[in-house]
Amino acid sequence: MTITTADLVELELPAGIDSTQATTILAEKLAASGRVTDQAGFLADVRAREEQMATGLEGGIGIPHARSAHVAQASVAFGRSAEGVDFGAGDGPATLIFLIAAPDGAGADHMKILGALARKLIHAEFKDGLREAPDAASAATIINEGVGA
Amino acid sequence: MRIVAITACPTGIAHTYMAAESLEVAAKAAGHEIVVETQGSAGSTPLSAEELQNADVAIFAADIGVKGRERFAHLPIVEGPVKRGINDAQGMLSEAQAAVDAKPAVDPAAKLDTSGKLPANPGMASVVAPGYKPGPGALLRTWLMTGVSYMIPFVAAGGLLIAIAFLIGGPEIASKVNGGTFDGQTYKEIADITDIWGQVGIAGVLFKIGTTAFSMLVPILAGYIAYGMADRQGLVPGIVGGLLAVSINAGFLGGLIAGLLAGAVVLAINRIPVHKNVRGIMPTVIVPLVSVTIVGILMIAVVGSPIASLMGTITDWLEGLNGTSAWLLGGLLGLMMAVDMGGPINKVAYTFGVASLASGNQEVMGAVIAAGMTPPLALALSTVVAKKLWTTEEREAGKAAWLLGASFITEGAIPFAAADPLRVIPSMMAGSATAGALSMAFSASSPAPHGGIWIIALIGTPGLWLVAILAGTAVSAVCVTFAKTVGRQPAAKADAQAATAAAGAPSLTTVAG
């Protein structure tokens, strides 16, 4: 059970978009792959979470996420933005964006993988690897290997 | 240091784990041992009884209530939002280190004892079950400390502002702003707050800001005691109960009651099983509405009425005492000033002083002021001469207490009395009684109703009045220092971190006149 694939990676998010647009671009990929069954419903759940507290983190990271009934499989779509997208972090826009989709009522296995991904985000070498990844496939490999799946 | 930590966030799939990783990485880098319980969606492996028992300190990085908070009652706790765990793990670790340093090392088995008495069985650690729960004493102390730690900044900001206002505007600034008679001069209250600047200048403005900060002491104390018990849901009934405690003149002791009551009511409401459809609006509508109503009615009807009649009774009794020996009256007033620090009894004593002033007897006021100054001074003194008995936080608070005591601002003592009332209040009463009795015996008169040391030039026998204050300070300092060494283990003592201070002075309302 891998949590991401090359199809779920967008290394060149367009410039000048906001967090909603970035999240939508990534959600489209999740929906196209069948991992998200209802794109609009899933985005609504993500927005609800984002409204509780912005998900931007120091160091240029944005982690929009939700547990949602519209998710079939624990997944992450990854986007990279050269100029950055504002996710409300105190120190500036996010250049690495992870849209994390967790199935509602999922078993602990799904959640452990997502937990492992979250833990990886702390480590500079993981983030640097993604910043320097030459193509979508290698970015997906870094993420999947990072969470041990 | 050995750390146990909890991380938790609303969704439980991302921040929880990032904070855990961040804390673990930072702790390892600094050579600490850490075990993190991630209260996230993946289910969490609870901390073992052994890990809890061996820990020196707990760190909570959580945006939602920590489950099983009572497991940590024996530890100092460093707490922050989950993002702080992610972005500033090192900062949380250094706070944890400071908390550990402030706490004397003890035998690990002793840490589990929550009663403050020596464990009867040194091997008790081995009989502690995984479901170990701290005793009621330790829980109560944790709750009180939560309230006190949130209140301390209000005391510092408000107290120092009032003292600064006295320094630059003279002690009569209080009467100029709030109205009243000061050294024969009568002032009218400035009703419109925006007129203060123009009429009495910056000192008046600072005084007003200071008294406003002080007006939040009891509500914040009550609110965060309830918060400590019942998390966020406790805040509303706690704060409203605290405001009502102020309205019914119940002082900080009334605030303690309001806070504990609010926490208990919220916990009780949450035990009532409700239908699934109602559950959604429980935390946002039902619990606030019901808990505020219950706490409010109890505060007004059950707590308020007896206090009102108590104040009446004591006032009558005090007036009946006119004509007894002066030093006895002074001693009694001293006891009253220190017993509840701005509560009903303190208020009766202070009002009696002001009334005596109006009828031409200035000596009662002199005794009341002397008695109200000694509690913060005594605590400040104790934190200097008996450093080891006090934590870092207490010693810091002690520094401000010098100025607050000198300015007759007894509120500086409330945090310490609220944290450890049984040891602090009687000690403060002894010194205030000494100061009051001596001041009366020396016929030290004060024509002003406030101002502390800054009105020394107006005092009838200033030298002897100072002697009375110094003697009272010494008595209270000796008593509280002694009280802090008995009946409690050092570790338990440190748990009650801010348990410093003093009782007594005429409350903000005193200053507010």
Side-chain angles (χ1 to χ4, degrees), chain B residues 317-393:
Chain B
W317 173 73
L318 214 46
E319 275 157 9
L321 281 182
N322 266 337
T324 47
S325 62
W327 69 268
L328 186 62
L329 179 63
L332 271 172
L333 288 169
L335 288 176
M336 292 171 66
M337 288 300 289
V339 69
D340 59 0
M341 270 163 264
I345 300 177
N346 164 291
K347 231 167 228 143
V348 169
Y350 181 75
T351 309
F352 185 75
V354 176
S356 303
L357 208 53
S359 60
N361 180 344
Q362 303 186 343
E363 291 169 14
V364 174
M365 200 67 237
V368 164
I369 293 182
M373 291 170 66
T374 59
L377 293 175
L379 287 153
L381 181 61
S382 180
T383 60
V384 172
V385 296
K387 280 198 176 84
K388 283 183 186 163
L389 286 176
W390 307 90
T391 65
T392 313
E393 192 182 0

Side-chain angles (χ1 to χ4, degrees), chain B residues 475-495:
Chain B
V475 168
S476 277
V478 168
C479 287
V480 78
T481 304
F482 178 70
K484 282 282 178 184
T485 59
V486 295
R488 177 185 274 191
Q489 279 183 205
K493 195 227 108 227
D495 277 354

